[in-house]
Amino acid sequence: MAVAETQLYAKVSNKHRSKSPSVLLESLLAKGFPAHIAQKALVATGQKSVEDAAKWLHSHCNDPSLDDPIPQEYALYLCPTGHLYNCLQEFWKESKRQCGKNRAHEIFPHITLCDFFTCEDQKVELLYDILKRICNSFAQRFPPTISLSLHSSTSYLGFFVGDSDANVLKEFAVAFSSEASALADCHVKPCLKQLHLTLAHKFCPHHQKTLEQLAKYINPEETCHWVAALYSRDMRFVHYQTLRALFQYKPQNIDELMINAGDFIYVNPTQQSEVSEGWVIGTSHQTGCRGFLPENYTERANESDTWVKHREYAFVPASKFSTQSTNEPNVKLNEEFRNPVMSRSVTDVLSLQLSQNTSLRRGVLVMRHGERVDQVFGKSWLQQCLTANGKYYRADLNFPSSLPKRKDSVKHFEHDPPLSSCGVFQSRLIGEALLDQEVTVSYVYSSPALRCIQTAQHVLQGLKLDQKVKIRVEPGLFEWTKWEASKAIPNFMTLTELTEASYNIDTSYRGNIPLSSLVPSESYEEYVSRSSAVIKEIVTACPSKGVILIVGHGSSLASFTRPLIGLPARDSNDFAQVVRKIPSLGMCFCEELKEEKKWLMVNPPVKTLTHGANAAFNWRNSIMED
């Protein structure tokens, strides 16, 4: 099952060792399980105990792939422990907080000795024997400390292993791969190029300097025991995204997936285009079953969270070698380890950066609008709320209590829908959270869509700035017009109508892009060009300190922030996949590093807002009828 990062390298007691894999298999066969399924369960649980394997078999009883002879993929890593590991974890945490997630965060700190290779289930026990034998033979030769030197480029940051130590590690990897190939019939490729321990990989180039500053406070000579560890993963889901369930979800329909908090789900990004907004289709790591589930019940997990650790052998000082088991850790698994020296150093770096930037810093907060009424009640929502003579009434408490007055037909709201009652509450809640974090909003720009203007208004109310900061309506902030279902530009409310409806509009503001220049079904290139031009004009027009709040659409989060931080536009297909996953009031935050003349994307000042669905309830049909 999933291996938590906090328990990967904990020192463990060796008083009680697990039964041998062959004994475990005999126990499962005695219980009546077929040999190939019993072996599959043992491999999936690291061959630790009969109980773990039986539990896995029980949870996978409806797994359609249970009989498939699909082997696991294995890799041999050399992993640090002790103070060095603690320092690396501090770097992991701070680099993610300051620069966002990069590829290195997907896997725990390690030096790769052998690339992933497949091994048949019935031959995995041979790998264990081979690893133990090779480790024993290298125990006297293993370096007491491994020489590490920092190396940096625009897309990679990490430690390179010194040549002398690297030669020993390469011999170790070659010895393991040779025996695994000969005895377990595995094609194992040892790593013979520059051995390294990656700190950051595939990050934004403008994050390089920040990452380098944090890396300089890692002392590679810190106390460390190195552990040779054999891991496996499910080869079917190598290129999938891994999600972690935040809440339990009980299926409402036969094609939906049952999940519990903490479960992992594999999701193929290429299969989501036809899935309804707010949902994903995935395969449960816990059960092997596949189905639909609500996306806002999940968060992104790390690639290695579902890997299985099979065996680890620690090279300890004084050239004494000891076998390690993962069964009985003698430390608290959930305890957070910290190196006091490293923590103080990182804190000093952060304090210095903040003191340097606070007085100069501007921010851009790009936010999607709150829940829109047609998102809940469908495109025909207006028909549910109009009487025979065309008067609006509230058919459900989540409909707005009233609609703002407009001179033309009320039917124009069909293509320019307002927020729902929950959308109003969401927006005000975000404003209150920004106020709690003492976020200073100096300017507010909004798409001309009514739902965006209402979101901006209620965020300002939560900030207690609704009488102080006016909303600048910018037509250039409207979403990609290709996505307009009506294939026409909506008939938006005029600035006069919005002002008469008590929205605090800056009527003196003239947009960078006139409303008349928006064309239906614009190309992706036209939309990207429009977005890039608008965000640059907005930033230029707001030179003073504070946060520029931009309220737009799901597409706004990528189309306005990427050009600001110097990234090219996504491919149009990738762009659509990203946008469909952005929830109501999803947000991105960019800060200006004025001295370096660039913008940096960082964590938003407030947490995300997650909530579940609340279906319509008819007491008569539910309670009275049999």
Side-chain angles (χ1 to χ4, degrees), residues 7 79 249 609:
Q7 72 185 98
C79 305
Y249 179 74
L609 174 65

Side-chain angles (χ1 to χ4, degrees), residues 590-609:
C590 298
E591 285 184 340
E592 183 187 33
L593 301 179
K594 196 164 186 177
E595 291 182 347
E596 301 176 27
K597 297 181 180 180
K598 65 181 182 181
W599 289 81
L600 188 70
M601 188 176 291
V602 297
N603 286 332
V606 297
K607 297 183 181 300
T608 56
L609 174 65

Side-chain angles (χ1 to χ4, degrees), residues 48 69 107 133 146 162 170 173 188 218 225 228 287 333 348 352 355 374 444 500 532 553 555 562 603 611 617-618 624:
K48 294 180 178 65
I107 308 174
R133 185 165 57 252
I146 292 180
K170 290 175 183 178
V188 184
I218 302 174
H225 296 172
T287 65
L333 297 184
D348 291 343
L352 179 61
S355 65
D374 61 332
V444 177
E500 291 175 351
S532 180
H553 308 266
S555 55
R562 287 179 71 88
N603 286 332
H611 56 78
F617 174 67
N618 186 313
M624 298 295 291

Side-chain angles (χ1 to χ4, degrees), residues 249-383:
Y249 179 74
K250 295 182 179 180
Q252 308 296 313
N253 298 291
I254 194 171
D255 59 352
E256 294 175 4
L257 188 64
M258 172 71 185
I259 58 173
N260 292 301
D263 286 357
F264 292 100
I265 302 99
Y266 300 111
V267 172
N268 186 345
T270 65
Q271 297 177 350
Q272 306 305 313
S273 58
E274 302 302 321
V275 181
S276 301
E277 183 177 357
W279 292 78
V280 294
I281 185 168
T283 302
S284 169
H285 170 74
Q286 279 67 26
T287 65
C289 298
R290 190 168 185 264
F292 294 94
L293 65 148
E295 190 170 20
N296 65 349
Y297 277 50
T298 66
E299 66 177 1
R300 280 291 301 273
N302 296 328
E303 177 185 332
S304 61
D305 285 345
T306 57
W307 292 3
V308 178
K309 181 165 63 174
H310 289 260
R311 292 294 183 271
E312 62 175 11
Y313 298 93
F315 296 95
V316 298
S319 300
K320 183 179 179 181
F321 178 81
S322 66
T323 304
Q324 302 292 322
S325 163
T326 59
N327 293 335
E328 294 190 15
N330 61 8
V331 294
K332 295 179 180 178
L333 297 184
N334 293 325
E335 182 178 352
E336 187 173 354
F337 297 100
R338 294 184 180 272
N339 179 346
V341 175
M342 176 63 183
S343 298
R344 284 198 299 271
S345 301
V346 170
T347 302
D348 291 343
V349 172
L350 295 177
S351 299
L352 179 61
Q353 290 175 346
L354 290 174
S355 65
Q356 289 175 340
N357 292 332
T358 298
S359 61
L360 303 174
R361 196 168 48 201
R362 288 186 298 164
V364 173
L365 180 60
V366 184
M367 180 186 300
R368 189 189 181 191
H369 56 76
E371 180 183 87
R372 50 194 276 182
V373 69
D374 61 332
Q375 185 179 334
V376 184
F377 299 103
K379 297 298 181 183
S380 62
W381 69 273
L382 194 58
Q383 299 173 21

Side-chain angles (χ1 to χ4, degrees), residues 433-479:
L434 290 169
L435 180 64
D436 289 341
Q437 295 300 315
E438 300 181 352
V439 175
T440 303
V441 172
S442 302
Y443 308 93
V444 177
Y445 288 81
S446 173
S447 160
L450 178 58
R451 56 193 180 273
C452 298
I453 294 168
Q454 290 179 322
T455 299
Q457 178 83 1
H458 291 293
V459 169
L460 285 173
Q461 287 179 359
L463 275 163
K464 299 183 180 179
L465 292 175
D466 50 310
Q467 300 303 315
K468 298 178 181 178
V469 180
K470 292 182 179 290
I471 301 169
R472 298 176 176 180
V473 179
E474 173 54 65
L477 296 178
F478 189 57
E479 66 182 343

